[in-house]
Every structure is written in structure tokens, then in C-alpha cells.
Amino acid sequence: MFSFIKNMSRAQRALLFTCFFAFFCNGSTSLVLGAALPDLKAAYSLSETVSGFFLSAHSAGNLIAGFISGLVPLWLGQRRSIVLLASLACIGLLMMILWGNPVWLLVAFLFTGMGRGSVTNFDNRMVNLLSGGSPAASNLLHCSFAIGAITTPLIFLFLSTKVSWQAGLAYVIICVGISVFRFSRMRLENDMPDRRDKTNSTMSFLKNPAFLILAAMMFCYLCSEYAINGWLVTYIQNKENLVASLAASNSDPVSYSQTMSSLMWVVMLVGRLTCALLSSRFSQKKMMMISSFGVAVFYFLMLSCSTVTMVTISVAGLGLCMAGICPMIYSDAAVFTNTYPMATSALLGIGSSGAILMPSLVGALAERFGFNGGMSAIFVTILMLMVFATLNVIVKNRRSGNP
């Protein structure tokens, strides 16, 4: 599983671990938004629809970052551009603490998305380059994300209970600040790409059906992941039969919902480590297809069940099946991303466009039809993911074309 590290120089390993820590911070940023959303709503008197727009603004920032993070290095260099863009996440989180004006908060969520998306773009491309597109490396990178996603809701819950919700956000700000500092100290062999080289800006890979299928898979997956992560805590706290079951057992719905958020990422961590181990034995295309079917089964169970036991099992199964899909999409696309810098940007950008739509759609539907109706919309994108994952197994062409 760690064989790809043996061939790296000391500087390459330092860069690899910088990417891993930055992805840990990405996981912290992503999950703290969902964990803090109920507190933001209460503190600033926000509606469900407005809250959904905030989550979509975060996804919009991801979409913007998907493209500018591939072009800015042509003028500023890779190190300066990632330092500048990653700093936006710190600024956005700080803005949430300072003021509750809806427009101000919309910009804050946009900044967190731009910062997080830039790191996602840089890290996935850099790890693919350093490891030669190793599925194990990609899964380990996303394990770092999962560790941040697991620990942050629990730390946020502790700090918000003992101190305040602002203290929970401050913890993530400090982590992201350390990540930005690490980026500022890294050494890159090709820091300033050649603007005359058309390979650095071409989008010719969009003509390849294999890339388009992977992009569609990313679209469907990020639709589902962002909406589930953003609304899971609030959904559980508003599921009446489940809340009644928790009250009968003297359990706190707030604590349970935060615990479920962390549980999902605990099993995602286990799932990504498992995928890293299995990637050398089994086809990652078939693993993604099987996983997508598993996501559909467990998500349906989560929506239809109201007992504490079944909801817990459903959330765990959902996290386990979702675990390896995103890192394996990036790894499967390495033949494109290692040739064309804009391929990673396009993959992230197309995926983020779906993630913009779904959180706000869930919020709007939840306000009109209740949270079961709102969360049911996610099931449609999961079914689409199953279709494209199956096509990914069937379509064999993986040639990126000549640069």
C-alpha cells in the first residue's frame, strides 16, 4: 500500500505530507459547515432556504476554484497561487464569526469553497504526479480528508458546548492557517508553468468519452456528498419519529446527529483504507460500480427507517460505500490529469456545478415538503451515479490523446 513512497526523494515526501495535512484541513472545513449550520441559523435567524443557499455558495466557490486554480499558476506560480487561494478559507470562516448579515455570510461560504476547491485541485493533481496515478496514494490522500471530517464535528460539539460555536470555528481557522504556512514553505521543481505550452491550458480532453463519464460520475457523487454532509445533522434533528425514539431512550438529538456525522466519516476512513489495500488486486472501475449500488441501498434505508438502530446502520453503510468513489475517480482520471493541468480543474468544476444545485434544492424542498421530501431528491443523483459507474466499466478507451 505504501510502495509508492519508497521511490520518492525527501523533498517529494515532504510535499506529499503537506498535501495530506492540507486535505485533513479540507475535511475539517467541509464538515464544520454542516455542524455549525444549526448554530448559525439560531444565532442569525436564518431560514432553511437561505441556509441551503449558503451551502450552494460553498459549492459555487468550489466551481470557481476548479478553473482559476488551474490558470492562476501560469502568472503567479504554483506555490504563490495555492497560498493565496487556500487563505480564502481562513477569511471565510472568520467572516462567519464576525457578522450575520446574509449577503456577508453568502460571501463567507463562497470564500470557504474557493479555498477548499483550490486545495482539492492542487492536492489531487500533485499526489497523482508524485505517485504516478497510484489508487493507493489517492485513497490515502482522501483518508486524510476523512480524519479531518471525523474529528472536527466532535471537537466542534465539545467547544460549542463548553465555550461557544465561534470557538469551534476558530479551531478550524487555526488548522487551515497552519496548512497555508506549510504551502508557503514547500519546494516545487516546476513552480512556474510555461504559458507558451498549450498543454497547460488546452481543454481537448473534453472530447474523450471516457473523461466525460468520469466527470459525470464526479457530478453525481459531489451532488450527493455535499447535500448529505450539509444536511445530515439538520435532517436527523428534524426527523420526528427518530427524535421521539431518542426522547424515549433519554438521548439528545443534537448529540446523536453530530455523532452520526462523525460515524459516517469513521467508516469512510475505514472504507478508503480498505480500497487502498484492494486497489492492487481488483479493478477500481468495478469497485466504484459496486460501491454506487451500495450507496443507493443504504441511502434508501436511511430515508425509510426511523429507529435509532436502523438509522445508525444506514449511515455507517452509506459512509462505507461512498468511501472510495471520489478518490478512485481522481485516480482513474490520472491519464488525463497528469497530461493536462486543466483536466483536474474541469473534473472538479463539473462536479462542483452539481454540488451547487443539490444543497439549495434540498433546502427549498424541505421547506415545502419536509425534510424527507427534500432529502429524497438526493436519491435521484445516486441512481444516476449507478448508471455512469456502470458505463465506466463498459467504456474501455482511456487514451488522453497527444499533447
Side-chain angles (χ1 to χ4, degrees), residues 140-207:
L140 288 174
L141 174 68
H142 287 257
C143 281
S144 303
F145 184 100
I147 293 171
I150 291 164
T151 56
T152 298
L154 297 177
I155 294 172
F156 179 86
L157 179 62
F158 174 79
L159 290 174
S160 61
T161 303
K162 299 297 182 182
V163 187
S164 66
W165 62 268
Q166 291 93 334
L169 289 181
Y171 158 75
V172 181
I173 292 172
I174 293 171
C175 289
V176 176
I178 296 171
S179 171
V180 171
F181 175 76
R182 289 288 304 165
F183 276 136
S184 70
R185 306 295 295 174
M186 67 182 178
R187 297 179 180 178
L188 297 174
E189 293 180 3
N190 260 331
D191 184 58
M192 185 66 74
D194 186 359
R195 278 183 282 173
R196 296 170 298 178
D197 186 355
K198 293 182 179 180
T199 305
N200 289 322
S201 58
T202 185
M203 304 284 281
S204 60
F205 50 83
L206 290 175
K207 298 177 182 178

Side-chain angles (χ1 to χ4, degrees), residues 1-2 4-5 8 12-28 119-120 122-128 130-131 134-149 175 179 182-183 186 273 276 327:
M1 183 169 66
F2 299 101
F4 63 91
I5 299 178
M8 293 183 183
Q12 289 174 323
R13 289 173 186 167
L15 177 55
L16 181 72
F17 294 134
T18 295
C19 291
F20 282 2
F21 180 73
F23 234 57
F24 165 85
C25 296
N26 260 17
S28 298
V119 171
T120 299
F122 178 85
D123 277 13
N124 277 289
R125 182 166 186 269
M126 191 57 61
V127 169
N128 264 344
L130 291 171
S131 67
S134 166
S138 186
N139 271 287
L140 288 174
L141 174 68
H142 287 257
C143 281
S144 303
F145 184 100
I147 293 171
C175 289
S179 171
R182 289 288 304 165
F183 276 136
M186 67 182 178
L273 288 171

Side-chain angles (χ1 to χ4, degrees), residues 216-229 264 288-303 314 317-319 321-322 325 354 358 361-362 374-390:
M217 288 177 64
M218 186 66 79
F219 173 91
C220 296
Y221 176 81
L222 290 185
C223 268
S224 307
E225 184 193 289
Y226 273 60
I228 291 170
N229 283 336
M264 184 173 177
M288 285 189 284
M289 182 181 68
I290 294 170
S291 295
S292 66
F293 279 83
V295 171
V297 170
F298 284 109
Y299 189 75
F300 177 78
L301 287 175
M302 189 186 80
L303 292 180
S314 300
L318 185 62
C321 292
M322 290 175 68
I325 295 176
M358 192 52 62
L361 180 61
V362 170
M375 296 294 280
S376 295
I378 303 172
F379 193 65
V380 177
T381 61
I382 294 174
L383 293 177
M384 291 170 61
L385 176 64
M386 290 167 51
V387 172
F388 288 117
T390 303

Side-chain angles (χ1 to χ4, degrees), residues 229-241:
N229 283 336
W231 286 108
L232 181 63
V233 171
T234 309
Y235 167 71
I236 289 175
Q237 292 179 16
N238 286 272
K239 195 173 176 68
E240 294 180 0
N241 293 339

Side-chain angles (χ1 to χ4, degrees), residues 306-330:
S306 296
T307 63
V308 175
T309 301
M310 286 306 299
V311 169
T312 302
I313 292 173
S314 300
V315 170
L318 185 62
L320 187 65
C321 292
M322 290 175 68
I325 295 176
C326 186
M328 285 191 288
I329 291 173
Y330 278 114

